[in-house]
Amino acid sequence: MRRTTLLLLAVTGALTSCNTLKNTVDASSDLSKLGGNWELNYISGPRIAFNGLYPGKKPVLTIDLLEKRVNGNTSCNSFFGKLVADDTSINFNEPMAMTKMACPGEGENIFINTLKKVNKYTITGDTTLNFMMGDIAIMRFKKVK
């Protein structure tokens, strides 16, 4: 009986340690790395190839941490609004101002609708920004100068 109890405690301790390490690795982002200019290079969901959605110009985001603002371009229209983010979470549910030019294709709508689903982010190597919905990367950006 005592041997079973010790084994159970050892397994529980090992699993807890692994989970703690996993959470530390997952939460590797921090707000200071989020600032700057980012260009979209992946978006999940559409059945149209990425270059077909954005044939001329890719969507971009500029995140200003000092002013707590975000602005960018959907590949057609410009937008700006309040930045709502901390060390691992971000959302784009606050109202944003946007120009209203007529845009060809579905790229802009897919970009805006996917952006509204984002609730977390991770940054890899200071040059790749992943926007997540839960644990799934739904958008990826590369840092631009």
Side-chain angles (χ1 to χ4, degrees), residues 1-144:
M1 179 70 173
R2 187 167 197 203
R3 189 179 242 178
T4 305
T5 304
L6 287 174
L7 181 60
L8 183 60
L9 286 173
V11 170
T12 303
L15 291 175
T16 304
S17 297
C18 290
N19 194 32
T20 302
L21 180 59
K22 179 181 180 272
N23 289 340
T24 302
V25 172
D26 287 346
S28 63
S29 299
D30 69 74
L31 196 57
S32 65
K33 295 178 182 179
L34 187 59
N37 300 314
W38 301 92
E39 181 180 73
L40 184 71
N41 62 13
Y42 167 79
I43 191 164
S44 70
R47 294 183 180 189
I48 302 169
F50 183 82
N51 291 333
L53 284 172
Y54 310 107
K57 183 176 169 182
K58 294 178 184 174
V60 293
L61 285 177
T62 299
I63 299 174
D64 184 341
L65 297 173
L66 293 175
E67 298 291 325
K68 295 183 180 166
R69 306 285 298 165
V70 60
N71 66 65
N73 190 289
T74 65
S75 80
C76 180
N77 282 297
S78 298
F79 64 91
F80 62 93
K82 180 181 174 185
L83 175 64
V84 180
D86 62 26
D87 283 349
T88 58
S89 66
I90 190 166
N91 78 65
F92 298 94
N93 295 323
E94 292 287 323
M96 286 198 207
M98 192 160 121
T99 59
K100 295 290 183 182
M101 295 188 304
C103 303
E106 299 175 47
E108 179 176 77
N109 285 334
I110 291 171
F111 178 78
I112 294 297
N113 289 332
T114 305
L115 202 58
K116 290 178 182 179
K117 295 175 185 175
V118 170
N119 60 14
K120 284 181 12 182
Y121 71 93
T122 61
I123 299 173
T124 308
D126 295 341
T127 58
T128 302
L129 171 63
N130 295 296
F131 280 169
M132 319 283 283
M133 182 176 66
D135 291 334
I136 300 169
I138 58 174
M139 301 175 95
R140 184 177 56 231
F141 295 81
K142 69 177 180 177
K143 187 99 174 197
V144 291

